[in-house]
Amino acid sequence: MGRAFEYRKAAKLKRWGQMSRLFPKLGRMITIAAKEGGSPDPEMNAKLRTAIANAKAQNMPKENIEAAIKRAFEKNAADIKEIAYEAKGPHGTLMYIECATDNPTRTVANVKATLVRNGGELLTSGSLDFMFSRKAVFEFDKCDDIDLEELELDLIDYGLEEIEEDKIPQENGKDKEIIRVYGDYKDFGSLSKALEERGIEVSKAQLQRIPNTPLELNEEQMDDVTTLVDKLEEDDDVQVVYTNLA
């Protein structure tokens, strides 16, 4: 989605964490993972294990994680579903809006209203099928005992497409060095297992939507898009918004 956008995103996520806004979203993903995987034990449920790792990376308290797992198996648990909406934003931006909701009627109405108020519009399902590629993306801290060339050769057999180094801004003003691994979304499981078997502690593991033709905007236009994304992600049902920004 572009480095400038990602840096703003990182700063916003930290604010979310401080305001306990991010935790309900992470909790929903843990609940969905526990229910879909059929087990509250992360050792027996790979999807749950990944959701917990993502939550821990955002400093979600242990009791919140345990409560989210418990909710999945309560007798009167809400039926939470994952739904993705496609949209057009300001200045030619395209968006995938991924949600987790127990009331799709409410969610689509809220998403549509937010788009309209901020220069966007909802598109029909399937409109962006050829504009984005779905990728398995893993992040972990860079350390001296990881040989990138060796790891790259090692992971090719498990679906690796690309490996890169990057820096993530921190609250203390310093950047944290990380390694990011990309593969086709169908290889999420095999790549996850391969990293785990090599003792690599993944801080983030996601299925992301990567734009096939990234769009470049100026600073003023970027502000308009960031405002819309912020408004969308203020909705508790919206998990994440992907754009085609460069």
Side-chain angles (χ1 to χ4, degrees), residues 177-191:
E177 294 186 322
I178 61 126
I179 295 172
R180 191 175 290 116
V181 165
Y182 294 89
D184 188 85
Y185 78 98
K186 295 178 182 177
D187 295 315
F188 183 93
S190 58
L191 278 169

Side-chain angles (χ1 to χ4, degrees), residues 5 15 30 40 56-57 71 90 138 141 144 150 166 178 186 194 210 219 222 236 239:
F5 192 86
R15 294 199 302 275
I30 290 172
K56 286 182 175 179
R71 278 196 297 273
F138 302 85
D141 292 348
D144 294 335
E150 183 179 325
D166 201 357
I178 61 126
K186 295 178 182 177
I210 311 295
E219 189 69 18
M222 183 77 78
D236 288 341
Q239 294 297 116

